[in-house]
Amino acid sequence: MLFFSNYCRSNARLVGKTVVITGANCGIGKETARDLYRRGAKVILACRDINKAEEAVNDIKEHSSRSTQDSEDEAGQLEIYQLNLSSLTSIKKCAQRLLTNESTINILINNAGVFLHPFEKTEDGFETHFQVNYLGHFLLTLLLLPKIQKSAPDSKIINVSSVAHKFSDIYMEDLNLERSYSPLKAYCQSKLANILFTKELDKKLKSK
């Protein structure tokens, strides 16, 4: 099917650029890391499970070396930072490490997420979909924003959402959905929150 077979046709190189990708050890995040690594970027995999992140790094390096061995373009760098989006403490620690160790952050890709998770609250008291998919990325973005802005021009923040946002509302009086929980409802609310945050952040940054 055409919808599932499209691919990026850009030949842009990202040498000298630093990219942070949350949840980059599998799925969309891993394939994004693979592509940007091939383009010469320094790619930071911000993941909860360090072992899985190391496996992803090894796989990316192995397969990228095969595809670039006949090319003059060199691959970039891969690094791993521990990040558990279900813990605000972990998010703050990861952000501080990034701000301390990285001279620039050119691209932040907020990709990590959970889908159809049974009802559970994080250690911070928030429903898991809401914190992992939205609130954690909200905090990470704001903490890294000054560094991202200083890394301009062409710095970018990319929030991965879903068409599922169209089927939800923000339940302000019951954000944790404790009175009417379903995994799909929680997921859709978190994706709508991603969209609203992206629109508001874009508006505020353009007004400066």
Side-chain angles (χ1 to χ4, degrees):
M1 294 176 63
L2 181 61
F3 180 78
F4 294 103
S5 62
N6 283 344
Y7 60 92
C8 179
R9 294 172 172 80
S10 170
N11 294 318
R13 297 286 294 162
L14 294 173
V15 177
K17 304 293 185 181
T18 298
V19 183
V20 177
I21 308 175
T22 68
N25 62 283
C26 62
I28 294 173
K30 180 180 176 182
E31 294 310 309
T32 302
R34 188 191 309 277
D35 183 81
L36 301 184
Y37 170 70
R38 287 173 177 168
R39 296 173 187 272
K42 177 181 181 181
V43 181
I44 295 172
L45 291 76
C47 303
R48 181 184 62 177
D49 190 318
I50 297 298
N51 290 331
K52 290 182 178 179
E54 290 174 347
E55 291 175 2
V57 165
N58 292 335
D59 179 72
I60 292 170
K61 287 182 177 179
E62 179 182 354
H63 290 86
S64 295
S65 62
R66 294 175 186 172
S67 63
T68 59
Q69 59 186 354
D70 297 325
S71 172
E72 295 181 358
D73 295 330
E74 293 186 5
Q77 300 172 259
L78 294 169
E79 289 194 18
I80 297 171
Y81 278 54
Q82 207 280 331
L83 171 66
N84 181 358
L85 288 163
S86 66
S87 166
L88 298 183
T89 298
S90 174
I91 296 166
K92 292 174 184 177
K93 287 181 178 178
C94 181
Q96 186 56 54
R97 184 182 171 198
L98 286 165
L99 293 173
T100 300
N101 295 348
E102 306 302 327
S103 59
T104 61
I105 298 176
N106 304 99
I107 304 174
L108 170 63
I109 303 177
N110 291 319
N111 161 80
V114 295
F115 178 59
L116 302 186
H117 193 79
F119 181 78
E120 185 179 24
K121 287 184 179 180
T122 67
E123 63 183 50
D124 304 295
F126 298 99
E127 188 276 321
T128 300
H129 289 90
F130 193 76
Q131 178 162 335
V132 173
N133 295 358
Y134 161 64
L135 192 60
H137 284 129
F138 174 88
L139 176 60
L140 180 67
T141 300
L142 294 189
L143 291 173
L144 298 182
L145 188 57
K147 175 82 72 173
I148 295 171
Q149 290 178 298
K150 290 180 181 179
S151 302
D154 299 326
S155 54
K156 294 177 174 62
I157 300 169
I158 300 168
N159 295 325
V160 178
S161 189
S162 166
V163 70
H165 81 274
K166 293 179 177 292
F167 307 104
S168 185
D169 199 347
I170 301 295
Y171 303 97
M172 297 300 296
E173 297 183 358
D174 186 24
L175 283 176
N176 285 333
L177 303 179
E178 294 177 86
R179 297 197 293 266
S180 59
Y181 185 80
S182 80
L184 184 58
K185 184 176 183 179
Y187 176 77
C188 292
Q189 177 181 232
S190 71
K191 292 291 115 176
L192 176 58
N194 287 152
I195 295 292
L196 296 176
F197 169 49
T198 302
K199 288 181 175 292
E200 183 64 20
L201 180 63
D202 179 65
K203 182 170 69 175
K204 287 186 178 296
L205 292 178
K206 285 181 177 177
S207 67
K208 291 185 177 181

